[in-house]
Amino acid sequence: MYRAPRGTLDILPEDQPYWRHVTERAHAIAALYGYEYIDTPIFEETSLFVRGVGEGTDIVDKEMYSFQDKGGDHLTLRPEFTAGVMRAYLEHGMRTRPQPVKLYSLGPIFRHEKPQAGRYRQFWQFNVEAIGEMDPALDVEVMSVAWHLYEDLGFSGLSFHINSTGDPRCRPRYIEALVAYYRPYLHLLDEDDRRRLARNPLRLLDSKSPAAQPIIEGAPKITDYLCDECTQHFARVRRYLDALGRPYVVNHRLVRGLDYYTKTVFEVYAEGIGAQNAVCGGGRYDGLIEALGGPPTPGIGFATGIERIILAMKERGIAVPGLPKPTAFFAPLGEESKVVALRLITELRAAGVRALLGFGDRSLKAQLRAADRAGATYAVILGEDELAAGQATLRHMAQGTQQNIPLAGLVAFLRDSEATR
Ligand code: HAM
């Protein structure tokens, strides 16, 4: 028996009400804030992610689905949206549009991670980017999109974790201090942390290794090393959050797993979620477009995992609206009735009324059971007697009541009934 590949999920029809609801709300809230939808390819040139996300990150070093195609091109299934969206911004000359260019996307992302609850190898992100503007008010707008989505979906106890990761002027001085601080502890570090110390020292701060925790506690804080510009930017972000009454925690350990971040970084936590698995992460990436060969262009964005949101909603018992059910289920009894049923169903569907047919010449009882399982409002019973009289028996499934309706008026009746539901 084949099974879905490790770390992938089938999203079955019974899960679709969650998916439909969460993605519809994401579209609606993105529109509310003036973000436009963009779709980029699921694979890109491998070097885009190596340059964008950065060598030395877990994503690039360990997690990319990279391959050479039949033409010899080196390609990678996107392990995030941001680099691809920046590529599209440059390729389509979007810097000639009014800035900031505000874009969002929804779609599958691929990372070869160790699968566990809430961590998959193929998962969906809702991704938001605002490109071409330095104003810290934009940082707060982007953060508000994430906040608004979780609030709208019914989460409570929301708070931001924020930090600043500085910029190329002030960060090197901080990294020097961090590496110097870690040097005497080298013998206490596990292999992963030693690798981080050599390749990506900032990531030492979010090490999960128990031995590393007391060391991290005493580590220098980046906020003590920021240049004036970064200090002021961070102060204004906090000022705007205060003005909006949005709770936040300055988390000195928040460094994020992608290399492109500068200045503001943030994650969102809600009551009971986020502690083990972040639902949302983002920040500024003012050097990314330049690193990809474009002119200096600032930007900020975030992404949130749809599966993680849905898992958390289910854990909290947050209900979502069901998907539409059929208005009519036709139960024909005999060949002549089936011909009439087919004709009527075709007419109904053409009029936009949801209608199903009972297949396979089954008994009335079996067909009524099928109508019930399908959640139909009415069963339309078409037997020989009904046909001879030019009418159908209409059974209201929930109430168990029946009435006769002339065939000539059936389509209009069901169309009106669907419209008034
Ligand atoms: P990220 O923190 O790597 O950021 O991922 C964002 C979100 O994707 C996470 O908070 C989580 O909800 C979800 N996620 C990540 N990995 C997995 C996984 N293995 N299984 C399920 N869900 C997962 C980025 O991707 C950045 N590109 C965000 C960004 C946009 N920054 C600026 N613009």
Side-chain angles (χ1 to χ4, degrees):
M1 276 282 276
Y2 287 111
R3 303 184 71 93
R6 218 162 106 71
T8 67
L9 287 178
D10 292 312
I11 306 165
L12 298 173
E14 50 269 36
D15 292 323
Q16 295 299 338
Y18 280 95
W19 280 81
R20 184 78 71 91
H21 181 67
V22 172
T23 53
E24 271 177 12
R25 295 314 301 152
H27 280 292
I29 289 163
L32 193 62
Y33 285 74
Y35 287 71
E36 294 181 294
Y37 190 72
I38 182 169
D39 257 332
T40 59
I42 283 183
F43 55 82
E44 299 268 0
E45 270 183 58
T46 298
S47 64
L48 175 73
F49 299 116
V50 175
R51 273 220 246 163
V53 176
E55 264 172 311
T57 60
D58 284 352
I59 293 179
V60 168
D61 286 3
K62 305 195 242 171
E63 296 171 2
M64 296 209 298
Y65 282 91
S66 299
F67 58 98
Q68 213 173 342
D69 74 2
K70 300 260 191 282
D73 290 335
H74 292 273
L75 301 170
T76 294
L77 301 185
R78 63 185 178 206
E80 61 128 30
F81 272 110
T82 312
V85 174
M86 297 311 124
R87 195 251 327 121
Y89 174 90
L90 285 172
E91 186 171 338
H92 303 286
M94 291 193 216
R95 68 199 184 90
T96 60
R97 301 183 186 188
Q99 310 288 300
V101 171
K102 307 204 293 187
L103 302 170
Y104 78 100
S105 309
L106 268 161
I109 295 294
F110 305 85
R111 294 184 190 174
H112 193 269
E113 292 199 78
K114 203 162 159 224
Q116 59 184 55
R119 188 188 294 156
Y120 310 103
R121 290 181 172 173
Q122 176 177 330
F123 58 95
W124 273 56
Q125 279 186 350
F126 167 49
N127 184 81
V128 167
E129 312 288 0
I131 312 156
E133 176 59 63
M134 276 304 300
D135 191 338
L138 183 62
D139 303 31
V140 172
E141 177 181 283
V142 165
M143 294 167 75
S144 299
V145 175
W147 180 285
H148 202 134
L149 177 66
Y150 303 126
E151 196 166 61
D152 180 278
L153 291 175
F155 290 102
S156 50
L158 293 167
S159 74
F160 287 117
H161 279 212
I162 58 171
N163 195 13
S164 174
T165 51
D167 68 12
R169 269 164 306 174
C170 51
R171 192 174 12 206
R173 213 161 58 83
Y174 172 67
I175 289 181
E176 242 174 68
L178 190 66
V179 170
Y181 165 81
Y182 261 86
R183 215 163 277 132
Y185 299 114
L186 203 60
H187 62 289
L188 297 175
L189 301 182
D190 66 16
E191 203 183 314
D192 252 8
D193 277 354
R194 258 184 243 161
R195 194 176 59 87
R196 287 180 170 142
L197 185 61
R199 282 177 71 91
N200 201 343
L202 269 189
R203 295 285 291 165
L204 284 165
L205 296 174
D206 69 356
S207 165
K208 303 282 177 293
S209 136
Q213 301 314 306
I215 309 175
I216 297 172
E217 282 304 307
K221 293 174 176 161
I222 191 163
T223 41
D224 294 333
Y225 288 77
L226 297 177
C227 60
D228 282 353
E229 190 188 305
C230 290
T231 303
Q232 274 177 31
H233 190 96
F234 196 42
R236 285 175 71 193
V237 168
R238 293 195 315 262
R239 177 164 179 230
Y240 299 152
L241 289 174
D242 288 335
L244 295 177
R246 298 270 193 260
Y248 63 86
V249 175
V250 177
N251 178 354
H252 299 286
R253 297 183 53 164
L254 180 59
V255 286
R256 314 265 312 123
L258 303 96
D259 261 5
Y260 46 62
Y261 290 112
T262 51
K263 295 195 170 72
T264 316
V265 286
F266 71 95
E267 292 185 346
V268 181
Y269 287 75
E271 227 157 54
I273 57 170
Q276 291 166 316
N277 274 328
V279 280
C280 162
R284 273 204 167 268
Y285 42 82
D286 296 338
L288 175 58
I289 290 195
E290 215 177 338
L292 297 178
T297 313
I300 174 156
F302 77 89
T304 180
I306 304 293
E307 289 82 354
R308 286 190 188 173
I309 292 179
I310 291 174
L311 258 178
M313 288 174 78
K314 287 183 176 169
E315 275 169 23
R316 249 150 224 81
I318 298 176
V320 292
L323 296 180
K325 301 282 190 208
T327 296
F329 185 103
F330 278 73
L333 302 164
E335 185 61 12
E336 280 314 299
S337 306
K338 189 163 281 180
V339 173
V340 174
L342 271 171
R343 204 166 38 72
L344 288 167
I345 278 195
T346 305
E347 250 185 85
L348 279 167
R349 289 174 178 161
V353 178
R354 291 180 293 270
L356 300 182
L357 178 63
F359 295 108
D361 304 320
R362 297 201 168 77
S363 69
L364 178 59
K365 205 169 145 202
Q367 295 203 63
L368 288 179
R369 228 181 295 126
D372 193 40
R373 269 200 301 264
T377 312
Y378 292 105
V380 183
I381 302 164
L382 280 171
E384 274 171 26
D385 294 350
E386 280 92 351
L387 224 50
Q391 57 184 28
T393 301
L394 206 59
R395 180 182 176 85
H396 192 284
M397 294 302 294
Q399 293 164 6
T401 51
Q402 299 199 159
Q403 66 186 110
N404 291 328
I405 292 244
L407 291 181
L410 188 68
V411 170
F413 177 89
L414 290 172
R415 193 185 49 218
D416 293 348
S417 134
E418 178 161 302
T420 54
R421 261 201 299 160

